[in-house]
Amino acid sequence: MDPTTDNAGPSGNPGNARDALEALRAEIAKAVVGQDPAVTGLVVALLCRGHVLLEGVPGVAKTLLVRALASALELDTKRVQFTPDLMPSDVTGSLVYDTRSAEFSFQPGPVFTNLLLADEINRTPPKTQSSLLEAMEERQVTVDGTPRPLPDPFLVAATQNPVEYEGTYPLPEAQLDRFLLKLTIPLPSRQDEIDVLTRHAEGFNPRDLHAAGVRPVAGPADLEAARAAVAKTTISPEITAYVVDICRATRESPSLTLGVSPRGATALLATARAWAWLTGRDYVIPDDVKALALPTLRHRVQLRPEAEMEGVTADSVINAILAHVPVPR
């Protein structure tokens, strides 16, 4: 089957949708320098209806990256700055008493959007962090017993500082598992940093993406067509077994106290499928699984304290498992 000729959505042509999503990289590069892997991860999450956790030290353009994505995709976006005094209702919304009608009416919170930027999510206590659980999993918010559906597409892009930083609260395992991908945003290379400073010296304003030339190059119709095409991407029984073997190996690793759950295995299969379609194939190969294994699994495992003290990381454990598990031919 040729995915470029398969009619799979409102735009009528998944090939066009793929081109539009590929164009995001060039468009976002007008505002953000050298973060192609993170851009790709965000697109994969949109295709899989998943959510993304962006981790990096302050000042590496995590927030700018999400804002640029929303502008290039023509999606509604809202930002919540997570602070220690933030309440759950500040995110989801609440019932407000109207003195004129003598009735309570629902005032939607910022979660009612297409792309929610949860900035520094680990600076707020677990009670407020958990207010996002229903929204992320069920795509709805329940207030006073009434479920209220969220728009589609809906994606939470949460940024967090490394957990050893002052004033951070570790995210609960249940919430970490709701994120499809955890993307690490590294410090830029020397040349990328020179490019960033050159842009600023020439007048670049990160708060004015329109002036930076960021324009919409894709939209909800492209996403819908792309998702339909991804759903038709073939997964062989051998690939399914390969994903299961990788995830089961994490549960047997002596370096881990917590391995990948079946939900994590399902996530890896979904992200590998989306990546295969993005790269122009209508079938999944082992390299697709390997390419998405780290961002999909790194936040779903938990290191033993003694392994952590020896300098072992989640990434190194997963890489060792990928090297050990037999690859289907």
Side-chain angles (χ1 to χ4, degrees):
M1 181 178 68
D2 182 358
T4 63
T5 60
D6 180 36
N7 189 333
S11 73
N13 194 326
N16 291 345
R18 185 190 291 115
D19 292 341
L21 294 178
E22 281 292 325
L24 285 174
R25 297 186 187 188
E27 204 64 23
I28 294 173
K30 295 177 181 177
V32 182
V33 177
Q35 295 293 357
D36 274 359
V39 173
T40 300
L42 286 164
V43 172
V44 166
L46 281 167
L47 291 175
C48 298
R49 290 183 168 87
H51 308 286
V52 176
L53 185 62
L54 300 166
E55 183 177 276
V57 299
V60 290
K62 300 187 295 293
T63 303
L64 180 60
L65 175 63
V66 176
R67 288 178 52 238
L69 174 71
S71 296
L73 268 176
E74 205 171 13
L75 295 176
D76 181 51
T77 182
K78 290 187 175 70
R79 175 180 176 272
V80 179
Q81 179 66 52
F82 280 71
T83 56
D85 59 349
L86 194 73
M87 299 297 291
S89 59
D90 295 329
V91 179
T92 60
S94 59
L95 293 175
V96 177
Y97 185 72
D98 188 338
T99 55
R100 289 173 296 180
S101 64
E103 293 180 350
F104 284 94
S105 61
F106 179 65
Q107 188 68 33
V111 75
F112 287 86
T113 187
N114 295 125
L115 203 164
L116 177 68
L117 173 56
D119 218 354
E120 296 185 303
I121 191 173
N122 61 335
R123 288 198 179 278
T124 198
K127 178 181 179 180
T128 304
Q129 292 174 5
S130 65
S131 68
L132 281 175
L133 286 177
E134 182 187 13
M136 293 171 68
E137 185 67 18
E138 306 295 337
R139 299 297 200 276
Q140 67 177 27
V141 168
T142 302
V143 177
D144 196 33
T146 303
R148 304 173 192 275
L150 296 172
D152 184 45
F154 172 70
L155 179 142
V156 174
T159 71
Q160 72 168 13
N161 297 323
V163 292
E164 62 269 15
Y165 271 56
E166 286 290 331
T168 59
Y169 299 83
L171 294 178
E173 285 82 1
Q175 184 164 359
L176 280 172
D177 205 35
R178 296 304 197 280
F179 286 101
L180 181 73
L181 300 172
K182 179 182 177 182
L183 306 175
T184 55
I185 310 298
L187 289 165
S189 66
R190 180 176 182 274
Q191 186 55 54
D192 284 345
E193 196 163 2
I194 289 173
D195 291 345
V196 170
L197 268 62
T198 301
R199 290 187 182 191
H200 280 264
E202 293 171 350
F204 170 69
N205 181 0
R207 295 171 184 82
D208 189 354
L209 295 177
H210 185 77
V214 179
R215 300 288 185 270
V217 294
D222 295 304
L223 276 177
E224 193 61 34
R227 286 170 172 176
V230 168
K232 295 181 180 180
T233 301
T234 303
I235 302 172
S236 69
E238 292 77 16
I239 292 295
T240 302
Y242 181 50
V243 169
V244 168
D245 289 344
I246 290 170
C247 294
R248 291 181 69 85
T250 65
R251 302 168 204 164
E252 299 166 1
S253 171
S255 299
L256 301 177
T257 58
L258 179 68
V260 177
S261 69
R263 189 209 304 266
T266 302
L268 180 55
L269 197 65
T271 56
R273 197 180 204 182
W275 175 243
W277 179 81
L278 272 175
T279 53
R281 276 178 283 102
D282 61 354
Y283 56 92
V284 181
I285 61 175
D287 283 349
D288 299 325
V289 177
K290 291 181 178 180
L292 272 296
L294 285 180
T296 308
L297 303 182
R298 59 163 59 108
H299 56 298
R300 303 175 192 271
V301 300
Q302 197 170 81
L303 289 167
R304 293 188 182 279
E306 55 269 31
E308 206 165 359
M309 290 177 63
E310 292 171 1
V312 176
T313 65
D315 284 13
S316 65
V317 172
I318 294 168
N319 278 327
I321 288 171
L322 291 174
H324 175 73
V325 173
V327 179
R329 298 185 179 277

mmCIF file of all heavy atoms in Angstrom, residues 89-90 92-98 103-109 141-146 148:
data_model
loop_
_atom_site.group_PDB
_atom_site.id
_atom_site.type_symbol
_atom_site.label_atom_id
_atom_site.label_comp_id
_atom_site.label_asym_id
_atom_site.label_seq_id
_atom_site.Cartn_x
_atom_site.Cartn_y
_atom_site.Cartn_z
ATOM 1 N N SER A 89 -8.207 24.050 40.785
ATOM 2 C CA SER A 89 -9.236 24.797 40.045
ATOM 3 C C SER A 89 -8.630 25.864 39.145
ATOM 4 O O SER A 89 -9.267 26.305 38.189
ATOM 5 C CB SER A 89 -10.231 25.437 41.016
ATOM 6 O OG SER A 89 -9.571 26.315 41.903
ATOM 7 N N ASP A 90 -7.391 26.292 39.456
ATOM 8 C CA ASP A 90 -6.720 27.265 38.587
ATOM 9 C C ASP A 90 -6.368 26.652 37.236
ATOM 10 O O ASP A 90 -6.112 27.363 36.270
ATOM 11 C CB ASP A 90 -5.437 27.790 39.254
ATOM 12 C CG ASP A 90 -5.718 28.581 40.520
ATOM 13 O OD1 ASP A 90 -6.782 29.221 40.585
ATOM 14 O OD2 ASP A 90 -4.874 28.553 41.441
ATOM 15 N N THR A 92 -8.198 23.511 35.989
ATOM 16 C CA THR A 92 -9.362 22.879 35.371
ATOM 17 C C THR A 92 -10.562 23.801 35.232
ATOM 18 O O THR A 92 -11.422 23.593 34.375
ATOM 19 C CB THR A 92 -9.793 21.650 36.191
ATOM 20 O OG1 THR A 92 -10.125 22.082 37.522
ATOM 21 C CG2 THR A 92 -8.664 20.634 36.262
ATOM 22 N N GLY A 93 -10.657 24.816 36.078
ATOM 23 C CA GLY A 93 -11.831 25.678 36.107
ATOM 24 C C GLY A 93 -12.671 25.390 37.343
ATOM 25 O O GLY A 93 -12.409 24.427 38.086
ATOM 26 N N SER A 94 -13.706 26.185 37.569
ATOM 27 C CA SER A 94 -14.512 26.028 38.781
ATOM 28 C C SER A 94 -15.909 26.591 38.575
ATOM 29 O O SER A 94 -16.182 27.288 37.584
ATOM 30 C CB SER A 94 -13.831 26.734 39.959
ATOM 31 O OG SER A 94 -13.674 28.120 39.663
ATOM 32 N N LEU A 95 -16.791 26.286 39.518
ATOM 33 C CA LEU A 95 -18.135 26.848 39.511
ATOM 34 C C LEU A 95 -18.115 28.223 40.164
ATOM 35 O O LEU A 95 -17.558 28.396 41.257
ATOM 36 C CB LEU A 95 -19.105 25.926 40.262
ATOM 37 C CG LEU A 95 -19.378 24.564 39.618
ATOM 38 C CD1 LEU A 95 -20.261 23.717 40.535
ATOM 39 C CD2 LEU A 95 -20.044 24.725 38.263
ATOM 40 N N VAL A 96 -18.700 29.190 39.493
ATOM 41 C CA VAL A 96 -18.726 30.566 39.984
ATOM 42 C C VAL A 96 -20.178 30.977 40.183
ATOM 43 O O VAL A 96 -21.028 30.746 39.314
ATOM 44 C CB VAL A 96 -18.031 31.519 38.984
ATOM 45 C CG1 VAL A 96 -18.117 32.959 39.470
ATOM 46 C CG2 VAL A 96 -16.578 31.110 38.775
ATOM 47 N N TYR A 97 -20.455 31.595 41.323
ATOM 48 C CA TYR A 97 -21.826 32.008 41.621
ATOM 49 C C TYR A 97 -22.146 33.318 40.907
ATOM 50 O O TYR A 97 -21.429 34.313 41.037
ATOM 51 C CB TYR A 97 -22.000 32.183 43.129
ATOM 52 C CG TYR A 97 -23.426 32.504 43.534
ATOM 53 C CD1 TYR A 97 -24.422 31.536 43.472
ATOM 54 C CD2 TYR A 97 -23.768 33.773 43.974
ATOM 55 C CE1 TYR A 97 -25.725 31.823 43.834
ATOM 56 C CE2 TYR A 97 -25.071 34.073 44.344
ATOM 57 C CZ TYR A 97 -26.043 33.086 44.272
ATOM 58 O OH TYR A 97 -27.341 33.380 44.634
ATOM 59 N N ASP A 98 -23.226 33.298 40.144
ATOM 60 C CA ASP A 98 -23.689 34.478 39.421
ATOM 61 C C ASP A 98 -24.809 35.128 40.234
ATOM 62 O O ASP A 98 -25.898 34.559 40.387
ATOM 63 C CB ASP A 98 -24.213 34.066 38.042
ATOM 64 C CG ASP A 98 -24.531 35.268 37.164
ATOM 65 O OD1 ASP A 98 -24.753 36.364 37.711
ATOM 66 O OD2 ASP A 98 -24.567 35.106 35.924
ATOM 67 N N GLU A 103 -27.449 31.545 40.312
ATOM 68 C CA GLU A 103 -27.061 30.180 39.981
ATOM 69 C C GLU A 103 -25.548 30.096 39.829
ATOM 70 O O GLU A 103 -24.872 31.105 39.602
ATOM 71 C CB GLU A 103 -27.725 29.730 38.672
ATOM 72 C CG GLU A 103 -29.239 29.575 38.754
ATOM 73 C CD GLU A 103 -29.818 29.128 37.426
ATOM 74 O OE1 GLU A 103 -29.062 29.142 36.422
ATOM 75 O OE2 GLU A 103 -31.004 28.755 37.386
ATOM 76 N N PHE A 104 -25.051 28.853 39.949
ATOM 77 C CA PHE A 104 -23.632 28.617 39.717
ATOM 78 C C PHE A 104 -23.409 28.307 38.235
ATOM 79 O O PHE A 104 -24.175 27.552 37.621
ATOM 80 C CB PHE A 104 -23.129 27.442 40.563
ATOM 81 C CG PHE A 104 -22.940 27.777 42.013
ATOM 82 C CD1 PHE A 104 -23.952 27.533 42.935
ATOM 83 C CD2 PHE A 104 -21.762 28.341 42.450
ATOM 84 C CE1 PHE A 104 -23.792 27.841 44.264
ATOM 85 C CE2 PHE A 104 -21.575 28.662 43.792
ATOM 86 C CZ PHE A 104 -22.593 28.414 44.700
ATOM 87 N N SER A 105 -22.379 28.893 37.658
ATOM 88 C CA SER A 105 -22.025 28.599 36.271
ATOM 89 C C SER A 105 -20.562 28.173 36.226
ATOM 90 O O SER A 105 -19.747 28.593 37.053
ATOM 91 C CB SER A 105 -22.247 29.820 35.375
ATOM 92 O OG SER A 105 -21.440 30.900 35.810
ATOM 93 N N PHE A 106 -20.252 27.336 35.259
ATOM 94 C CA PHE A 106 -18.882 26.816 35.139
ATOM 95 C C PHE A 106 -17.996 27.803 34.394
ATOM 96 O O PHE A 106 -18.336 28.261 33.301
ATOM 97 C CB PHE A 106 -18.878 25.474 34.404
ATOM 98 C CG PHE A 106 -17.503 24.905 34.219
ATOM 99 C CD1 PHE A 106 -16.739 24.507 35.305
ATOM 100 C CD2 PHE A 106 -16.955 24.767 32.941
ATOM 101 C CE1 PHE A 106 -15.467 23.982 35.133
ATOM 102 C CE2 PHE A 106 -15.688 24.243 32.773
ATOM 103 C CZ PHE A 106 -14.946 23.855 33.874
ATOM 104 N N GLN A 107 -16.872 28.139 35.002
ATOM 105 C CA GLN A 107 -15.873 29.006 34.381
ATOM 106 C C GLN A 107 -14.701 28.133 33.945
ATOM 107 O O GLN A 107 -13.946 27.637 34.779
ATOM 108 C CB GLN A 107 -15.393 30.063 35.378
ATOM 109 C CG GLN A 107 -14.495 31.144 34.790
ATOM 110 C CD GLN A 107 -15.225 32.060 33.835
ATOM 111 O OE1 GLN A 107 -16.405 32.330 34.025
ATOM 112 N NE2 GLN A 107 -14.547 32.520 32.802
ATOM 113 N N PRO A 108 -14.547 27.866 32.623
ATOM 114 C CA PRO A 108 -13.483 26.952 32.181
ATOM 115 C C PRO A 108 -12.096 27.462 32.551
ATOM 116 O O PRO A 108 -11.819 28.674 32.498
ATOM 117 C CB PRO A 108 -13.665 26.920 30.654
ATOM 118 C CG PRO A 108 -15.040 27.433 30.406
ATOM 119 C CD PRO A 108 -15.324 28.404 31.502
ATOM 120 N N GLY A 109 -11.221 26.519 32.910
ATOM 121 C CA GLY A 109 -9.837 26.854 33.193
ATOM 122 C C GLY A 109 -8.990 26.779 31.926
ATOM 123 O O GLY A 109 -9.482 26.439 30.836
ATOM 124 N N VAL A 141 -12.812 16.969 31.834
ATOM 125 C CA VAL A 141 -12.662 17.466 33.196
ATOM 126 C C VAL A 141 -14.014 17.335 33.875
ATOM 127 O O VAL A 141 -15.041 17.734 33.311
ATOM 128 C CB VAL A 141 -12.210 18.941 33.207
ATOM 129 C CG1 VAL A 141 -12.333 19.536 34.609
ATOM 130 C CG2 VAL A 141 -10.771 19.065 32.713
ATOM 131 N N THR A 142 -14.036 16.739 35.063
ATOM 132 C CA THR A 142 -15.279 16.588 35.806
ATOM 133 C C THR A 142 -15.314 17.591 36.950
ATOM 134 O O THR A 142 -14.429 17.581 37.820
ATOM 135 C CB THR A 142 -15.424 15.156 36.362
ATOM 136 O OG1 THR A 142 -15.378 14.228 35.271
ATOM 137 C CG2 THR A 142 -16.745 14.992 37.112
ATOM 138 N N VAL A 143 -16.316 18.465 36.925
ATOM 139 C CA VAL A 143 -16.509 19.458 37.979
ATOM 140 C C VAL A 143 -17.935 19.331 38.489
ATOM 141 O O VAL A 143 -18.886 19.365 37.702
ATOM 142 C CB VAL A 143 -16.250 20.892 37.465
ATOM 143 C CG1 VAL A 143 -16.527 21.922 38.566
ATOM 144 C CG2 VAL A 143 -14.824 21.035 36.959
ATOM 145 N N ASP A 144 -18.086 19.141 39.802
ATOM 146 C CA ASP A 144 -19.388 18.987 40.429
ATOM 147 C C ASP A 144 -20.178 17.831 39.794
ATOM 148 O O ASP A 144 -21.391 17.927 39.575
ATOM 149 C CB ASP A 144 -20.181 20.293 40.332
ATOM 150 C CG ASP A 144 -21.373 20.328 41.293
ATOM 151 O OD1 ASP A 144 -21.264 19.735 42.385
ATOM 152 O OD2 ASP A 144 -22.403 20.929 40.935
ATOM 153 N N GLY A 145 -19.461 16.754 39.463
ATOM 154 C CA GLY A 145 -20.101 15.562 38.931
ATOM 155 C C GLY A 145 -20.444 15.604 37.458
ATOM 156 O O GLY A 145 -20.956 14.627 36.908
ATOM 157 N N THR A 146 -20.153 16.716 36.800
ATOM 158 C CA THR A 146 -20.480 16.848 35.380
ATOM 159 C C THR A 146 -19.214 16.757 34.534
ATOM 160 O O THR A 146 -18.314 17.600 34.674
ATOM 161 C CB THR A 146 -21.170 18.205 35.096
ATOM 162 O OG1 THR A 146 -22.335 18.306 35.904
ATOM 163 C CG2 THR A 146 -21.547 18.323 33.632
ATOM 164 N N ARG A 148 -16.905 17.362 31.384
ATOM 165 C CA ARG A 148 -16.870 18.388 30.340
ATOM 166 C C ARG A 148 -15.732 18.041 29.373
ATOM 167 O O ARG A 148 -14.558 18.068 29.767
ATOM 168 C CB ARG A 148 -16.664 19.771 30.956
ATOM 169 C CG ARG A 148 -17.736 20.098 32.012
ATOM 170 C CD ARG A 148 -17.462 21.379 32.762
ATOM 171 N NE ARG A 148 -18.340 21.486 33.923
ATOM 172 C CZ ARG A 148 -19.573 21.974 33.902
ATOM 173 N NH1 ARG A 148 -20.080 22.410 32.761
ATOM 174 N NH2 ARG A 148 -20.299 22.039 35.008
#
